[in-house]
Amino acid sequence: MIMPGLFGDLAAPRTHQWKGKDVFVITDSHVRTLYGQQLMRSLAAQDARAWMLHVPAGEHSKNARVAFALQTHLLEKGIRRDSIIVALGGGVVGDLAGYVAATILRGVKYIQVPTTLVAQVDSSVGGKVGIDHPLGKNLIGAFYQPAAVYIDPEVLATLPVEEFRNGLAEVVKIAVALDAKLFDKIESQARRITQQNVPLLTDLIVQAVRLKADVVMADAFDSGVRKMLNLGHTIGHALEAASNFKIKHGAAVAIGLAAESGIAVRMSLLDRRDGDRLIKVLRALRLPTKMPRISSKAKFMSALSIDKKSEGNSAKFVLLKAIGQTSIGVDVPARFIEELL
Ligand code: NAD
Ligand code: GLY
């Protein structure tokens, strides 16, 4: 369900039968302060028995140690198969809480309440849940669909502007990979988008979620067309890992989109004019497009080859063919990567 103002009414019976249920809200330290108590009060008003658990905000919480600590807390508090886990937060909380839900007692129902734009347009939809491993991002996880996703674009009002922009990178990714008309809209409305116009933002979120949901329904387990959604992510994930997660996911995806479109142009897969349009849109949304200096090239290269999209020994890329069209499983010769670095 996507609706401005939905959060205020989240624990109403129309979203779920909360009455008498044991509900475990998992959130992070920032979102707990902003929205946690409000959700706890409305769950209590519906006669649910609710607990809130929180982890420190940021990517560094998305790991096996934190997941295990959450599982221990849940077991100590008596979680049962018919309990409900609510993931309240950004993509870190969604991936982590979803992973905990998938594994505890061999699977407990969970609901996504995404509060960042990255989470609203991407991570809360599609059931990819997981944690990072020292050898790379998202290497441990599962496909585990949420029972529901509740999206309120108004909660984005409290998001730091940098985090809002990070989410725009995923919106651009979905549009440029799948829908030339949506890309045209973003191109022509870039200024209003950066001003966070709520009706326009709601429309973009609805379109992005619909596009993603269609792809997920066609290929839930990422063995075919869903790989398109990894556009910009092969370089993006390697950048995140090589920067020890100082570069945030959305920013890394923006740089990845720009870098991978440059590779596609050099490989004569993509017309330069389309590559230039993409870079112009990213810049208009104030997203980074230039590769930063990489202090550990070895870490970058090893993250590239261990990325879960790789098969055999070489990284497989998703590359743009035109605005709205991609090629998946492209072998990129090593010299193009070396040029980037
Ligand atoms: P995040 O979860 O770290 O959130 C970013 C920051 O915003 C955090 O500090 C958080 O506390 C804060 N925040 C969240 N909501 C807020 C709000 N409404 N107001 C103020 N502050 C708020 O980061 P993210 O960008 O949401 O997610 C990135 C993660 O998502 C990465 O780990 C990435 O791998 C994952 N991801 C997963 C998928 C998937 O399909 N599962 C897709 C895309 C990204
Ligand atoms: N975020 C990529 C996917 O869900 O497949």
Side-chain angles (χ1 to χ4, degrees), residues 153-170:
E154 284 181 0
V155 301
L156 302 179
T158 52
L159 206 56
V161 68
E162 190 201 343
E163 298 296 350
F164 175 73
R165 284 182 201 147
N166 289 343
L168 292 177
E170 297 285 10

Side-chain angles (χ1 to χ4, degrees), residues 301-312:
M301 292 308 275
S302 99
L304 253 195
S305 58
I306 204 163
D307 191 273
K308 59 196 175 343
K309 291 171 287 298
S310 64
E311 287 152 26

Side-chain angles (χ1 to χ4, degrees), residues 1 6-19 39 42-43 45-46 111 150:
M1 191 182 289
L6 176 64
F7 185 77
D9 208 15
L10 200 67
R14 71 179 167 149
T15 57
H16 202 81
Q17 276 311 325
W18 303 98
K19 196 177 164 64
L39 180 57
S42 46
L43 285 168
Q46 295 299 323
I111 290 176
Y150 295 120

Side-chain angles (χ1 to χ4, degrees), residues 4-44:
L6 176 64
F7 185 77
D9 208 15
L10 200 67
R14 71 179 167 149
T15 57
H16 202 81
Q17 276 311 325
W18 303 98
K19 196 177 164 64
K21 291 278 188 228
D22 284 355
V23 181
F24 296 92
V25 177
I26 299 182
T27 189
D28 75 19
S29 45
H30 293 155
V31 181
R32 169 179 177 254
T33 317
L34 289 165
Y35 299 106
Q37 287 312 327
Q38 189 183 343
L39 180 57
M40 292 298 283
R41 275 195 301 274
S42 46
L43 285 168

Side-chain angles (χ1 to χ4, degrees), residues 69-333:
L70 284 171
Q71 287 160 336
T72 304
H73 273 90
L74 292 169
L75 293 169
E76 284 172 354
K77 289 184 183 349
I79 189 167
R80 297 193 319 240
R81 272 265 175 80
D82 61 353
S83 303
I84 302 167
I85 290 179
V86 175
L88 171 69
V92 165
V93 164
D95 284 12
L96 175 69
Y99 173 75
V100 166
T103 47
I104 197 152
L105 304 177
R106 296 203 177 87
V108 163
K109 192 188 258 191
Y110 79 113
I111 290 176
Q112 292 272 15
V113 184
T115 61
T116 64
L117 187 54
V118 168
Q120 295 195 344
V121 296
D122 197 356
S123 60
S124 65
V125 177
K128 277 189 184 174
V129 297
I131 51 176
D132 301 330
H133 186 278
L135 289 176
K137 258 191 75 83
N138 299 335
L139 293 180
I140 311 293
F143 291 96
Y144 190 61
Q145 297 296 341
V149 183
Y150 295 120
I151 298 176
D152 179 355
E154 284 181 0
V155 301
L156 302 179
T158 52
L159 206 56
V161 68
E162 190 201 343
E163 298 296 350
F164 175 73
R165 284 182 201 147
N166 289 343
L168 292 177
E170 297 285 10
V171 180
V172 172
K173 173 204 78 178
I174 289 175
V176 79
L178 296 169
D179 188 337
K181 279 207 178 114
L182 180 59
F183 185 85
D184 292 348
K185 184 183 261 182
I186 297 171
E187 195 173 41
S188 62
Q189 306 276 339
R191 227 162 77 96
R192 285 178 68 221
I193 295 171
T194 56
Q195 291 162 348
Q196 300 200 24
N197 174 290
V198 172
L200 177 58
L201 209 50
T202 305
D203 174 48
L204 291 181
I205 294 168
V206 168
Q207 291 200 54
V209 168
R210 192 171 288 147
L211 285 164
K212 176 158 184 184
D214 284 348
V215 171
V216 172
M217 280 191 279
D219 174 25
F221 296 105
D222 210 7
S223 54
V225 289
R226 186 166 179 176
K227 290 183 197 292
M228 285 192 274
L229 299 176
N230 287 326
L231 188 71
H233 282 58
T234 307
I235 298 286
H237 280 166
L239 270 176
E240 279 182 89
S243 73
N244 200 20
F245 300 111
K246 283 199 187 73
I247 303 179
K248 296 287 192 71
H249 181 75
V253 168
I255 298 168
L257 286 171
E260 291 177 13
S261 74
I263 292 173
V265 169
R266 285 197 290 284
M267 288 177 73
S268 305
L269 273 173
L270 177 70
D271 188 295
R272 178 174 295 281
R273 279 167 299 190
D274 282 347
D276 289 347
R277 272 182 78 194
L278 172 57
I279 298 206
K280 256 180 103 171
V281 164
L282 292 168
R283 288 194 183 141
L285 297 174
R286 317 233 169 85
L287 282 159
T289 55
K290 288 215 167 6
M291 280 290 283
R293 265 180 60 84
I294 310 274
S295 55
S296 170
K297 289 187 183 161
K299 200 166 176 186
F300 180 87
M301 292 308 275
S302 99
L304 253 195
S305 58
I306 204 163
D307 191 273
K308 59 196 175 343
K309 291 171 287 298
S310 64
E311 287 152 26
N313 287 324
S314 66
K316 296 276 182 199
F317 279 70
V318 184
L319 290 181
L320 213 52
K321 283 199 294 195
I323 303 292
Q325 287 174 43
T326 57
S327 287
I328 55 180
V330 183
D331 269 316
V332 170

